[in-house]
Amino acid sequence: MIYTTTYQSPIGELTLASNGPSLVGLWFENQQQSCNNLSYEHNEHKLPIFAETKRWLDLYFNGKQPNFFPKIEFLGTDFQKLVWSELCNIEYGTTTTYKAIGQKVAKQMNRQTISAQAIGGAVGKNPIGIIVPCHRVIGTNGSLTGYAGGINRKIYLMKIERIIGL
């Protein structure tokens, strides 16, 4: 069973999803990869993980770097889980590139390379937006490439973290 709740953020309503003990999803409203696409039955429910996640989001949207993370669990392929784990290593207020993530994942898989497109595909399916910071991934040339929540939201999140100027 998957449980859901909502959170009103400054950049739109967020849907949070949990399997009970862990957060398994966090999406913007109307985001293509959303809880509506989960193949699990889900119900609106109050859970401690939701209260903890909302506290994290409150701090974050108030411009503070949270000093804790809600417990998360990735539901995806082994490759996606490797990529999403790498996203968790991107420090607050910094960026990395698809290429850099590809190099790290390739090393973990004992491969020479993995295409930036494969990495981009996995990043684009990140089920736990904001907390798993796919908004911190940019193109090798410094471009602000796509973001499942929309480029304007990516810019907003980067401004909160002072990655780009206000």
Side-chain angles (χ1 to χ4, degrees), residues 56 60 64-66 69 86-98 100-101 123 126 129-139 142-147 153-155 157-163:
W56 189 99
Y60 182 84
K64 298 178 179 131
Q65 179 181 359
F69 285 95
E86 281 303 319
L87 294 176
C88 293
N89 295 327
I90 308 169
E91 292 185 27
Y92 182 95
T94 66
T95 60
T96 192
T97 64
Y98 295 96
I101 293 171
V123 170
N126 172 20
I130 306 172
I131 294 171
V132 177
C134 53
H135 62 276
R136 297 179 191 152
V137 182
I138 60 174
S143 63
L144 300 181
T145 57
Y147 182 62
R153 287 179 173 141
K154 181 173 186 157
I155 291 168
L157 297 173
M158 293 176 95
K159 285 181 178 179
I160 286 176
E161 297 183 31
R162 295 171 190 84
I163 294 170

Side-chain angles (χ1 to χ4, degrees), residues 19-162:
N19 60 3
S22 302
L23 187 70
V24 298
L26 190 158
W27 302 279
F28 291 102
E29 61 187 323
N30 301 321
Q31 188 174 337
Q32 184 178 2
Q33 179 71 22
S34 70
C35 68
N36 295 329
N37 296 329
L38 284 175
S39 59
Y40 303 95
E41 183 179 343
H42 59 279
N43 293 331
E44 180 87 13
H45 199 67
K46 291 185 180 184
L47 296 171
I49 187 63
F50 290 150
E52 183 180 18
T53 301
K54 289 177 180 184
R55 189 165 58 91
W56 189 99
L57 291 166
D58 286 343
L59 289 167
Y60 182 84
F61 282 115
N62 282 303
K64 298 178 179 131
Q65 179 181 359
N67 62 355
F68 68 95
F69 285 95
K71 183 178 178 189
I72 61 173
E73 183 177 328
F74 293 128
L75 305 177
T77 67
D78 290 343
F79 175 72
Q80 289 171 330
K81 290 175 185 179
L82 278 175
V83 173
W84 299 336
S85 292
E86 281 303 319
L87 294 176
C88 293
N89 295 327
I90 308 169
E91 292 185 27
Y92 182 95
T94 66
T95 60
T96 192
T97 64
Y98 295 96
K99 181 178 180 180
I101 293 171
Q103 291 169 338
K104 291 177 182 177
V105 170
K107 186 174 182 178
Q108 292 177 50
M109 295 176 71
N110 293 316
R111 293 181 55 183
Q112 289 290 87
T113 62
I114 294 179
S115 75
Q117 291 82 5
I119 297 299
V123 170
K125 288 184 172 45
N126 172 20
I128 306 174
I130 306 172
I131 294 171
V132 177
C134 53
H135 62 276
R136 297 179 191 152
V137 182
I138 60 174
T140 304
N141 64 0
S143 63
L144 300 181
T145 57
Y147 182 62
I151 198 73
N152 289 337
R153 287 179 173 141
K154 181 173 186 157
I155 291 168
Y156 185 93
L157 297 173
M158 293 176 95
K159 285 181 178 179
I160 286 176
E161 297 183 31
R162 295 171 190 84

